[in-house]
């Protein structure tokens, strides 16, 4: 049996110098430390109530326990969000999946949608003196970007009521929901916008009114979801699956009635809204017909409607949904949190 040096180590029976043993130990220790370091992930989302599971997952250590250090980037508008993903300054995007469609069809970027999330939680809000969609004639509709997601919903709704973009009303891009709400507060010339939570709650308090929820006006719609660059997903498949599992866990925590008080406190802190506004916002986030989709499941019927809407408003024929989605990462992630 070869001799193993008790203090200095050995290789094939020969004693190793103490300095070499120390160097090996330091190298192995550094490698182990690196293996234990959390994965830094840059996650981009909008500053709105639907970001609550991300805030909760960070605050409650859910992402950390699954090995992540989340850098949460709150975007001002969908255009900068899409540009950031394409440029590699963010890794994962939570947004209306129609933005992924715009990146693919308009920007020619290789993007893939990997989860669902919600139907938008959107309502068509107008100034108090606007009595109907017909009253939008000659007025201004404020949107995020004119070629994506909820702007297309608004154009479709107004089109159903006989109004044509550029002829009967003006489209004014201002950015995310917080900026659409702000624009309506600052000037009644900004007559309407698609708003979501918590801005719908705040708009009602200021005398604005809803002309209807978009899912009631247009039918099922796959709005919120997660998308990434397809190449990044291939190169980081295990990381992406682990992230999806962490997000689903955070979403379950958010939807658990036992955590209501903590969620309301997070909404107040992160969105700078009152307790009353936060309570009403949380109620709507939990509404089974309107709020978060359990486990961020993907709604294929709603997605087909989104594809048809984009084709109708922007031109062309809707492609097969398989062109845009890969739910394999999601399906492999779910067993990590249990079904």
């Amino acid at each position: 049996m070869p001799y193993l040096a008790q203090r200095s180590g050995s290789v094939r029976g020969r004693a190793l110098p103490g300095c070499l043993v120390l160097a090996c130990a330091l190298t192995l220790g550094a490698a182990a430390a690196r293996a234990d370091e959390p994965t830094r992930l840059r996650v981009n989302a909008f500053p709105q109530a639907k970001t609550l599971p991300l805030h909760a997952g960070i605050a409650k250590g859910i992402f950390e326990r699954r090995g992540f250090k989340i850098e949460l980037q709150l975007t001002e508008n969908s255009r900068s969000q899409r540009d950031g993903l394409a440029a590699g300054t963010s890794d994962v995007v939570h947004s209306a999946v129609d933005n992924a469609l715009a990146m693919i069809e308009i920007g020619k970027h290789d993007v893939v949608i990997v989860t669902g999330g919600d139907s938008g939680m959107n309502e068509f809000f107008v100034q108090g003196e606007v009595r109907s969609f017909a009253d939008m004639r000659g007025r201004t509709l404020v949107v995020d970007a004119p070629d994506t997601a909820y702007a297309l919903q608004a154009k479709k709704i107004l089109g159903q009521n006989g109004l044509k973009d550029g002829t009967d009303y003006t489209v004014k891009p201002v950015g995310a929901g917080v900026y659409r709400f702000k624009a309506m507060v600052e000037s009644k010339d900004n007559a309407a916008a698609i708003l979501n939570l918590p801005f719908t709650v705040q708009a009602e308090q200021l005398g604005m009114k809803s002309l209807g929820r978009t899912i009631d006006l247009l039918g099922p719609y796959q709005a919120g979801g997660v998308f990434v660059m397809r190449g990044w997903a291939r190169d980081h498949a295990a990381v992406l699956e682990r992230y999806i599992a962490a997000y689903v866990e955070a979403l379950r925590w958010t939807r658990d009635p036992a955590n209501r008080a903590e969620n309301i406190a997070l909404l107040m802190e992160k969105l700078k809204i009152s307790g009353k506004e936060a309570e009403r916002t949380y109620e709507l986030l939990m509404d089974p017909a309107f709020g978060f989709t359990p486990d961020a499941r993907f709604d294929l019927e709603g997605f087909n409607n989104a594809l048809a809407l984009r084709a109708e408003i922007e031109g062309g024929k809707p492609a097969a949904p398989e062109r845009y989605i890969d739910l394999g990462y999601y399906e492999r992630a779910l067993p990590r949190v249990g079904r």
Side-chain angles (χ1 to χ4, degrees):
M1 182 175 181
Y3 170 72
L4 300 179
Q6 292 181 346
R7 294 184 181 272
S8 60
S10 68
V11 175
R12 294 186 180 181
R14 292 184 300 169
L16 291 173
C19 60
L20 185 56
V21 172
L22 178 60
C24 290
L26 290 173
T27 300
L28 292 172
R34 284 195 299 272
D36 291 338
E37 287 178 1
T39 301
R40 176 173 169 264
L41 210 59
R42 299 163 301 175
V43 178
N44 194 288
F46 278 88
Q48 59 187 8
K50 292 190 292 183
T51 309
L52 178 58
L54 293 173
H55 291 306
I58 293 169
K60 302 303 295 183
I62 295 170
F63 291 112
E64 183 180 4
R65 287 194 295 274
R66 290 190 177 269
F68 288 107
K69 181 176 178 57
I70 300 296
E71 178 187 310
L72 183 57
Q73 305 167 339
L74 297 177
T75 189
E76 293 187 350
N77 56 66
S78 59
R79 190 170 301 281
S80 63
Q81 183 182 65
R82 299 193 308 257
D83 289 347
L85 182 63
T89 57
S90 57
D91 304 310
V92 176
V93 165
H94 287 253
S95 185
V97 297
D98 189 82
N99 285 307
L101 303 183
M103 290 189 71
I104 296 166
E105 298 298 349
I106 301 173
K108 306 305 179 185
H109 298 293
D110 196 8
V111 173
V112 63
I113 301 163
V114 295
T115 79
D118 59 80
S119 63
M121 308 183 203
N122 289 323
E123 298 185 59
F124 196 109
F125 258 79
V126 296
Q127 299 288 358
E129 67 273 14
V130 178
R131 295 164 297 177
S132 67
F133 293 114
D135 276 355
M136 279 299 297
R137 192 176 300 275
R139 296 176 185 262
T140 297
L141 169 73
V142 290
V143 301
D144 176 4
D147 59 349
T148 59
Y150 310 145
L152 301 186
Q153 286 189 316
K155 291 177 183 180
K156 171 67 173 180
I157 291 167
L158 291 172
Q160 289 176 333
N161 288 272
L163 302 180
K164 185 178 179 181
D165 171 25
T167 302
D168 299 310
Y169 63 92
T170 301
V171 172
K172 179 180 178 181
V174 298
V178 61
Y179 299 111
R180 300 196 295 276
F181 171 62
K182 185 172 182 284
M184 292 184 70
V185 171
E186 291 177 345
S187 174
K188 291 199 173 185
D189 290 339
N190 298 316
I194 298 289
L195 297 180
N196 51 32
L197 296 166
F199 313 113
T200 51
V201 173
Q202 294 177 304
E204 278 187 340
Q205 293 178 341
L206 294 176
M208 300 177 203
K209 62 187 180 186
S210 172
L211 294 184
R213 294 178 172 181
T214 55
I215 55 172
D216 296 330
L217 297 167
L218 299 174
Y221 186 84
Q222 177 59 65
V226 173
F227 53 91
V228 298
M229 300 301 292
R230 195 181 293 268
W232 185 92
R234 284 194 300 264
D235 295 342
H236 301 84
V239 170
L240 179 56
E241 290 163 21
R242 186 158 47 93
Y243 174 76
I244 293 171
Y247 179 75
V248 169
E249 183 181 349
L251 178 57
R252 289 181 181 180
W253 187 92
T254 300
R255 297 184 70 250
D256 187 340
N259 302 322
R260 173 189 172 90
E262 287 183 84
N263 278 297
I264 289 172
L266 274 171
L267 288 170
M268 293 172 64
E269 175 192 350
K270 300 300 182 181
L271 300 180
K272 309 303 180 188
I273 58 178
S274 70
K276 183 178 179 180
E277 290 168 339
E279 287 180 10
R280 179 57 179 156
T281 296
Y282 184 73
E283 288 173 4
L284 292 169
L285 288 171
M286 298 303 109
D287 184 335
F290 186 62
F292 288 123
T293 303
D295 287 356
R297 290 193 299 267
F298 194 83
D299 177 5
L300 187 56
E301 179 188 3
F303 187 59
N304 280 324
N305 285 347
L307 290 174
L309 175 60
R310 166 163 285 278
E312 177 184 345
I313 302 297
E314 295 293 289
K317 293 183 178 180
E322 292 77 15
R323 168 176 164 79
Y324 308 104
I325 61 177
D326 185 346
L327 299 181
Y329 301 101
Y330 176 84
E331 292 298 333
R332 290 187 292 273
L334 277 190
R336 295 172 180 259
V337 286
R339 293 179 185 266

